[in-house]
Amino acid sequence: MSNSMRQAAIAAIVSTKHKLDHINFKDGHIKELFGQDVFSEPVQRERLPKPVFKALQKTIKQGATLDPAIADAVATAMKDWAIEKGATHFTHMFQPMTGLTAEKHDSFLQPSEPGQALLEFSGKELVRGEPDASSFPSGGIRATFEARGYTAWDPTSPAFIMENPNGATLVIPTAFVSWTGEALDKKTPLLRSMEALSKQALRIIKLFGNHDAKKVFTTVGPEQEYFLIDKNFYFGRLDLQATGRTLFGCPPPKGQEMEDQYFGAIPERVLAYMADVESQLFQLGVPIKTRHNEVAPSQYELAPIFEDSNLGTDHQMLTMELLRRTATKYGLVCLLHEKPFAGINGSGKHNNWSMSTDAGENLLDPGDTPEHNVQFLVFCTAVIRAVNKYAKLLRVSVASAANDHRLGANEAPPAIISIFLGDQLQEIVDHLADSGSAKSTKSRGFMDEIGVNVLPRLPKDAGDRNRTSPFAFTGNKFEFRAVGSSFSIAGANTVLNTIVAESIDVIATNLEKARAEGKDLTKAIGDLLPGLLKENRRVLFLGDNYTAEWHAEAEKRGLPNLRNTPEALPAILEKESIELFTKYKVYSERELNSRFTILCESYVKTVSIEGRCAVVMATTMILPAALRYQTEVAQSVQALTLAGVKAPARQTALLKKLTETIDSLQETTEKLDHAVNHEAKGSLLDHAKYARDHVVTALVEVRKHADALETMVADDLWPLPTYREMLFIK
Ligand code: ADP
Ligand code: MG
């Protein structure tokens, strides 16, 4: 009895001719395409009465409170524009705490006289929606009796048209809050954190004489890694469908060791897919810039040009959505899971982050002049202090059951948060910290007195790279590399913005005081930075973060090493975290509690689903195949005996090994089944710990025996598409 499903999948893949030419950039060049479906600034200028346009821009660019009186005019212009583009519906898109986007569509139709209808869209409908949406996780914020949730228009992220084969929808980015004003989403805290950082950063640049800037934006450029596999394989794997990752599968004979995939030629079908995704993203104004093959087989990456963090986050959500959605058109499935395949690289999302004034000055760009260098050093010190002081919060911002498979393995940054500055910047920082004042170093002789023609021109392009560091300075921005590929980047950036805002606040307070006392600014900075750097330098590390030596060294330095999600989550509710987030009004204590609850629950659910899925697969797919093969081998041995030939020892040994492995598979599956169905006692966190210590570990055991069987059982009996097939048959 051969396994027809697997063979059928391969046959289908080999014989299917996919239509690859969906996009034609000759007819619509990207220049015209870009932003075509966005209610962008030029569209606003063209279609809005001048005072309305000005008021709206003031809100967008300077964070001025929105004048409700302009909403009707904006709504009408938006509606007319959308209808011209074929839209029949509008939706408030929001980002609930599931980490996905959510939308509920309403048509523009309003019945007027009997049998007639008007197309309406009022300012009220633009500004506020009430999607109910009470089934989203709220972590206790929304008890059912107060289940009302509102969406609120975010004018800083422009509305756009989302097309589908049979129509189009006007999509309005919104925040999602409870009727008591508590954030039920990921956008609201992000916006609050951006505001907090802006307020603090403005204080510093004012000290440096910049009085023009009205706002400081944080900027983000997320690099997205993902896998693509043929959908025929996907539908042959219950684990991929139910959990996003393979729970079983032994390594292919050839993995990524030849490193022949990285930056290699992109297969035709994949390239066609990428172009299609990009074309759609261009229309939505998402500035995708790069694409390439990643390290693992069938792994790819795309990255946009950076934007302000709010827009960049919205665009990242769209990017994930379109990556997923477009794949089916090409007979592919896009896997955004952090670790879809064991034994080869997982996927992350490198979160490139910086701060910029509304005039576009990048505050982490060392700049060409010493004055800029000093301002840069102030901001850089703020980041160093923030990351050291709040390393646990950064860690928890990237914690999930899926990312646990990645952080700490020898391919992704470890769970220990440290900063890589690069040799030159590290030397400058070391010198500042060591010498206390800014005397010149013997080796390079560059620092007589801070700020006066003394600092070297800092490298614009940091020549050295360190791929093992979770948080690396890369010339004019920091790259937070521990974010998982399936994550919304909102959480990580909310934390990053808030912790840096706090550090800047501390520095600004000190410097303002010194200035008020008549101290020279450079002197004040020279007095302040060395101490701060000394206090926080333990977080700086230039070496290989994957080594055991670093783990030992980090422990000596007292750096936290929160190895998995249940270890990381309590950081959310520590006193220091609550004080931080409430002080800058990013999360209230209740909001923090709700996040903690949701993350605990989500961890337990994810692990339980995986456990149940593994039990089903082991019991109904792997075990039957193994038993069939065991029968074949047993019959073959028996046949020899009947024929009067003594079965060779290797054949009886094979039978014995099969029997034993099958027995172990059953035994461990029973254990897993028990663990999954066991109702743990205690708090939510106890449930999470139980899941980690009993379900995750039992699953590893089951997998060990299942994968061993994959290497023994006749290939024609093996029921699951294998790694060598999924990753290499394209
Ligand atoms: P790499 O060599 O790390 O790939 P790139 O220059 O290609 O460096 O940048 C990677 C990502 O970093 C891109 O998305 C890019 O837009 C983003 N990036 C560049 N400058 C900034 C900045 N100032 N703030 C945030 N992201 C940035
Ligand atoms: Mg990369």
Side-chain angles (χ1 to χ4, degrees):
M1 203 188 311
S2 78
N3 191 278
S4 53
M5 188 266 133
R6 239 179 87 217
Q7 266 82 23
I10 296 171
I13 293 164
V14 173
S15 62
T16 307
K17 271 206 108 30
H18 296 279
K19 177 172 162 49
L20 299 182
D21 53 344
H22 290 275
I23 304 295
N24 183 349
F25 286 111
K26 283 182 200 143
D27 295 342
H29 196 268
I30 50 171
K31 236 176 82 189
E32 290 106 58
L33 215 57
F34 191 81
Q36 200 183 66
D37 290 345
V38 184
F39 194 68
S40 58
E41 188 177 327
V43 179
Q44 292 169 19
R45 182 180 293 116
E46 188 193 309
R47 290 178 173 257
L48 290 173
K50 211 166 186 178
V52 175
F53 172 73
K54 277 197 165 151
L56 182 58
Q57 285 300 314
K58 208 166 159 192
T59 298
I60 295 171
K61 298 226 168 101
Q62 300 172 8
T65 317
L66 188 82
D67 176 1
I70 69 166
D72 272 323
V74 178
T76 304
M78 233 184 227
K79 179 201 69 185
D80 293 344
W81 171 79
I83 289 170
E84 281 167 36
K85 296 222 157 249
T88 54
H89 288 66
F90 69 92
T91 181
H92 277 196
M93 184 181 75
F94 56 103
Q95 297 166 31
M97 290 185 279
T98 52
L100 304 168
T101 55
E103 48 195 76
K104 178 185 148 206
H105 298 196
D106 282 295
S107 89
F108 289 121
L109 276 187
Q110 283 285 351
S112 53
E113 286 158 49
Q116 289 178 33
L118 294 172
L119 296 180
E120 293 275 18
F121 184 51
S122 67
K124 229 178 82 201
E125 286 171 299
L126 166 64
V127 171
R128 205 177 86 164
E130 199 185 326
D132 180 28
S134 51
S135 294
F136 286 113
S138 78
I141 286 185
R142 297 173 80 187
T144 38
F145 64 86
E146 52 171 15
R148 224 177 272 178
Y150 293 107
T151 49
W153 176 37
D154 169 16
T156 60
S157 183
F160 55 90
I161 304 282
M162 199 58 141
E163 286 175 4
N164 72 69
N166 296 325
T169 305
L170 169 67
V171 184
I172 299 150
T174 60
F176 183 43
V177 291
S178 76
W179 72 284
T180 47
E182 282 161 306
L184 295 169
D185 68 347
K186 294 189 170 255
K187 182 191 268 277
T188 308
L190 176 66
L191 286 169
R192 292 173 183 162
S193 74
M194 289 175 71
E195 221 164 289
L197 185 134
S198 176
K199 197 169 145 199
Q200 302 308 329
L202 282 174
R203 292 169 65 192
I204 299 280
I205 59 175
K206 262 200 193 100
L207 286 169
F208 279 92
N210 179 345
H211 296 278
D212 298 333
K214 297 264 181 334
K215 193 166 174 166
V216 168
F217 290 93
T218 52
T219 50
V220 70
E223 303 164 48
Q224 172 77 51
E225 293 177 333
Y226 60 96
F227 281 85
L228 286 174
I229 63 165
D230 193 280
K231 79 168 196 280
N232 287 288
F233 290 138
Y234 179 81
F235 289 116
R237 300 269 328 201
L238 176 63
D239 46 7
L240 281 177
Q241 293 168 59
T243 73
R245 75 178 180 108
T246 53
L247 301 174
F248 301 105
C250 60
K254 174 179 182 285
Q256 63 187 50
E257 57 277 79
M258 304 292 280
E259 296 179 345
D260 49 359
Q261 149 90 1
Y262 190 50
F263 279 33
I266 302 171
E268 190 176 57
R269 176 153 60 129
V270 173
L271 191 54
Y273 158 81
M274 286 174 167
D276 196 330
V277 171
E278 287 165 13
S279 146
Q280 297 174 66
L281 287 170
F282 289 151
Q283 287 190 47
L284 299 176
V286 183
I288 295 300
K289 178 81 175 160
T290 62
R291 48 159 102 125
H292 62 80
N293 279 5
E294 258 300 329
V295 172
S298 291
Q299 191 187 28
Y300 309 94
E301 177 180 308
L302 91 171
I305 295 171
F306 68 94
E307 301 178 280
D308 94 65
S309 301
N310 179 38
L311 190 56
T313 300
D314 284 359
H315 281 170
Q316 224 289 307
M317 298 307 290
L318 284 176
T319 303
M320 288 198 284
E321 173 69 23
L322 287 174
L323 278 172
R324 276 198 206 99
R325 202 193 283 179
T326 310
T328 40
K329 208 159 133 187
Y330 295 86
L332 297 163
V333 173
C334 175
L335 304 175
L336 290 176
H337 193 282
E338 282 70 17
K339 195 76 182 173
F341 303 98
I344 61 170
N345 275 11
S347 299
K349 186 136 56 192
H350 297 175
N351 188 87
N352 294 274
W353 176 93
S354 189
M355 300 169 268
S356 160
T357 66
D358 48 356
E361 183 196 346
N362 178 357
L363 300 177
L364 288 175
D365 189 331
D368 294 329
T369 63
E371 295 79 46
H372 281 114
N373 273 201
V374 176
Q375 185 184 300
F376 161 77
L377 275 181
V378 169
F379 282 113
C380 194
T381 303
V383 175
I384 293 170
R385 179 182 173 280
V387 174
N388 179 45
K389 185 154 186 229
Y390 296 107
K392 284 195 213 165
L393 286 177
L394 280 176
R395 170 65 184 91
V396 81
S397 78
V398 297
S400 78
N403 215 15
D404 280 358
H405 296 288
R406 189 176 153 258
L407 298 181
N410 269 2
E411 48 146 311
I416 306 164
I417 303 289
S418 67
I419 302 180
F420 171 83
L421 287 181
D423 287 335
Q424 195 179 354
L425 190 52
Q426 178 74 46
E427 189 180 357
I428 291 168
V429 162
D430 280 342
H431 181 74
L432 262 174
D434 291 336
S435 68
S437 75
K439 295 263 163 52
S440 70
T441 62
K442 281 178 211 101
S443 58
R444 302 179 72 139
F446 54 60
M447 246 182 269
D448 296 318
E449 193 189 339
I450 191 164
V452 195
N453 283 331
V454 281
L455 287 175
R457 282 185 44 180
L458 293 166
K460 266 223 151 84
D461 180 29
D464 46 351
R465 281 293 173 102
N466 182 331
R467 298 256 159 229
T468 71
S469 175
F471 203 91
F473 183 67
T474 47
N476 58 4
K477 61 187 185 287
F478 281 94
E479 185 172 344
F480 184 28
R481 305 176 64 242
V483 185
S485 50
S486 69
F487 275 62
S488 156
I489 55 171
N493 285 291
T494 301
V495 168
L496 200 44
N497 297 343
T498 312
I499 64 178
V500 174
E502 192 265 348
S503 272
I504 296 176
D505 185 1
V506 168
I507 293 175
T509 303
N510 180 298
L511 295 181
E512 283 165 0
K513 185 160 165 282
R515 290 293 285 140
E517 288 162 3
K519 210 192 253 184
D520 176 60
L521 179 64
T522 44
K523 171 89 174 63
I525 291 169
D527 288 346
L528 178 65
L529 293 199
L532 286 179
L533 290 170
K534 204 176 272 173
E535 262 169 52
N536 294 287
R537 70 196 300 184
R538 65 171 192 168
V539 77
L540 304 175
F541 181 61
L542 285 181
D544 182 349
N545 292 62
Y546 295 166
T547 60
E549 289 80 43
W550 168 236
H551 285 240
E553 164 73 16
E555 198 179 332
K556 244 196 280 162
R557 293 189 190 185
L559 297 177
N561 181 7
L562 306 172
R563 270 161 287 244
N564 48 61
T565 300
E567 265 186 50
L569 292 181
I572 300 174
L573 296 182
E574 279 175 15
K575 191 164 155 279
E576 206 182 31
S577 314
I578 296 173
E579 279 169 11
L580 169 81
F581 287 119
T582 52
K583 177 166 182 197
Y584 295 95
K585 302 193 167 45
V586 173
Y587 291 112
S588 68
E589 187 167 349
R590 225 161 88 96
E591 287 170 346
L592 283 174
N593 268 299
S594 79
R595 267 70 189 168
F596 174 79
T597 303
I598 290 168
L599 288 168
C600 282
E601 284 173 351
S602 155
Y603 179 85
V604 174
K605 283 179 196 162
T606 305
V607 171
S608 306
I609 292 169
E610 288 186 351
R612 285 197 293 273
C613 183
V615 169
V616 169
M617 289 175 75
T619 312
T620 67
M621 299 173 190
I622 296 171
L623 179 65
L627 289 175
R628 277 176 205 149
Y629 184 56
Q630 179 182 259
T631 307
E632 271 186 22
V633 177
Q635 282 170 347
S636 149
V637 168
Q638 191 191 29
L640 287 177
T641 315
L642 283 177
V645 180
K646 187 176 175 329
R650 286 192 184 82
Q651 290 186 32
T652 46
L654 169 64
L655 184 56
K656 184 156 175 283
K657 193 165 169 218
L658 262 175
T659 321
E660 284 166 4
T661 315
I662 290 171
D663 193 48
S664 302
L665 178 77
Q666 286 190 287
E667 188 193 347
T668 48
T669 305
E670 274 168 22
K671 216 169 109 189
L672 175 61
D673 194 28
H674 177 79
V676 176
N677 290 314
H678 178 76
E679 190 54 49
K681 290 208 173 43
S683 68
L684 262 179
L685 187 64
D686 292 329
H687 285 248
K689 285 181 182 158
Y690 178 86
R692 174 194 65 192
D693 297 337
H694 297 274
V695 181
V696 173
T697 45
L699 205 160
V700 170
E701 285 293 305
V702 175
R703 178 173 191 150
K704 194 174 84 190
H705 302 300
D707 290 0
L709 285 167
E710 190 186 327
T711 66
M712 285 187 257
V713 169
D715 184 65
D716 62 335
L717 293 179
W718 194 252
L720 302 170
T722 61
Y723 274 29
R724 63 178 186 274
E725 292 157 355
M726 287 186 285
L727 293 168
F728 291 95
I729 299 180
K730 299 176 186 176

